[in-house]
Amino acid sequence: EVQLVESGGGLVQPGGSLRLSCAASGFTFSGSWMSWVRQAPGKGLEWVANIKPDGSDKYYVDSVKGRFTISRDNAKNSLYLQMNSLRAEDTALYYCARTYSHCWDPWGQGTLVTVSS
Amino acid sequence: QSALTQPPSASGSPGQSVTISCTGTSSDVGGYNYVSWYQQHPGKAPKLMIYEVSKRPSGVPDRFSGSKSGNTASLTVSGLQAEDEADYYCSSYAGSTYVFGTGTKVTVL
């Protein structure tokens, strides 16, 4: 069974940092594009970033460029999102998802990031 | 990029059909055949329903169908069932980035 489990969310002050993790199982992680997608409370979905299977190419939504870094460890079947200089508007449920044919399937259950003083 | 435009709500009685539109631009929906649709029930993660405009993943009922004309994509749910009541989001590739729709709440009357 394909499974994605996110962790690392929590409460952080504006300007702070957080590192999210996503543990993958049930598929060939090292051969898959992977993404982070977020959803602010009561709002819609927003693509955040994605990364090529070998980690050589990474893409970001403009609002997080220079602050967030997506990375992966294929030996550990894990995806990461390092988030720095966090802002209130980054408050959201962050999902990791396997990416193929420019769509996302499946999705993890999400990890909540709250940026507040 | 701006979000794709979807109607806030749609509804239908059991057995009826409902169609949700998703309007973008020539830089996203109109420029690529990479439109996908997601179903999200309250408190749950999104689920892929349609990809590449009209393809259904394994396990998705054939009551769900997708199409595209110009800068507008559409999702049709035929033979509405109670479990189809959910939020639906479209998404499109936009050339190294992605944009989602504003979301549509489907109510089964």
Side-chain angles (χ1 to χ4, degrees):
Chain A
E1 178 194 4
V2 177
Q3 193 169 17
L4 298 166
V5 179
E6 303 93 336
S7 60
L11 175 63
V12 61
Q13 292 188 340
S17 298
L18 213 53
R19 189 196 195 205
L20 306 184
S21 299
C22 172
S25 59
F27 65 101
T28 305
F29 180 78
S30 60
S32 301
W33 280 81
M34 296 295 297
S35 299
W36 289 98
V37 178
R38 67 185 178 183
Q39 186 170 34
K43 302 296 184 183
L45 300 168
E46 180 182 39
W47 169 76
V48 174
N50 63 1
I51 184 169
K52 199 174 177 179
D54 65 0
S56 60
D57 287 330
K58 307 172 185 182
Y59 300 92
Y60 301 91
V61 67
D62 285 348
S63 59
V64 309
K65 282 181 182 176
R67 300 189 299 122
F68 290 12
T69 302
I70 189 172
S71 62
R72 63 193 298 160
D73 185 336
N74 287 342
K76 295 183 178 180
N77 285 351
S78 293
L79 177 71
Y80 306 103
L81 186 67
Q82 177 66 43
M83 304 186 296
N84 299 330
S85 302
L86 282 161
R87 306 167 180 167
E89 54 264 37
D90 296 318
T91 293
L93 188 61
Y94 284 74
Y95 295 99
C96 79
R98 182 181 62 177
T99 307
Y100 67 87
S101 197
H102 301 293
C103 67
W104 300 277
D105 178 49
W107 301 55
Q109 86 289 349
T111 187
L112 182 63
V113 172
T114 303
V115 184
S116 174
S117 55
Chain B
Q1 300 93 340
S2 297
L4 307 176
T5 301
Q6 297 180 234
S9 63
S11 63
S13 299
Q16 290 186 331
S17 294
V18 65
T19 297
I20 304 166
S21 61
C22 169
T23 302
T25 69
S26 58
S27 297
D28 38 64
V29 175
Y32 306 94
N33 287 321
Y34 289 119
V35 174
S36 51
W37 289 89
Y38 302 86
Q39 177 192 65
Q40 187 178 34
H41 288 110
K44 300 295 186 181
K47 176 186 175 184
L48 177 67
M49 304 303 284
I50 296 287
Y51 69 103
E52 290 183 13
V53 176
S54 60
K55 296 180 180 179
R56 268 180 291 105
S58 173
V60 172
D62 60 6
R63 304 184 292 105
F64 291 85
S65 62
S67 63
K68 189 186 87 166
S69 178
N71 295 337
T72 299
S74 299
L75 172 72
T76 298
V77 186
S78 305
L80 266 175
Q81 299 183 4
E83 59 263 34
D84 298 333
E85 184 161 296
D87 293 327
Y88 291 82
Y89 294 92
C90 62
S91 180
S92 176
Y93 179 62
S96 77
T97 64
Y98 299 85
V99 60
F100 278 97
T102 49
T104 298
K105 181 175 180 57
V106 169
T107 301
V108 181
L109 302 171

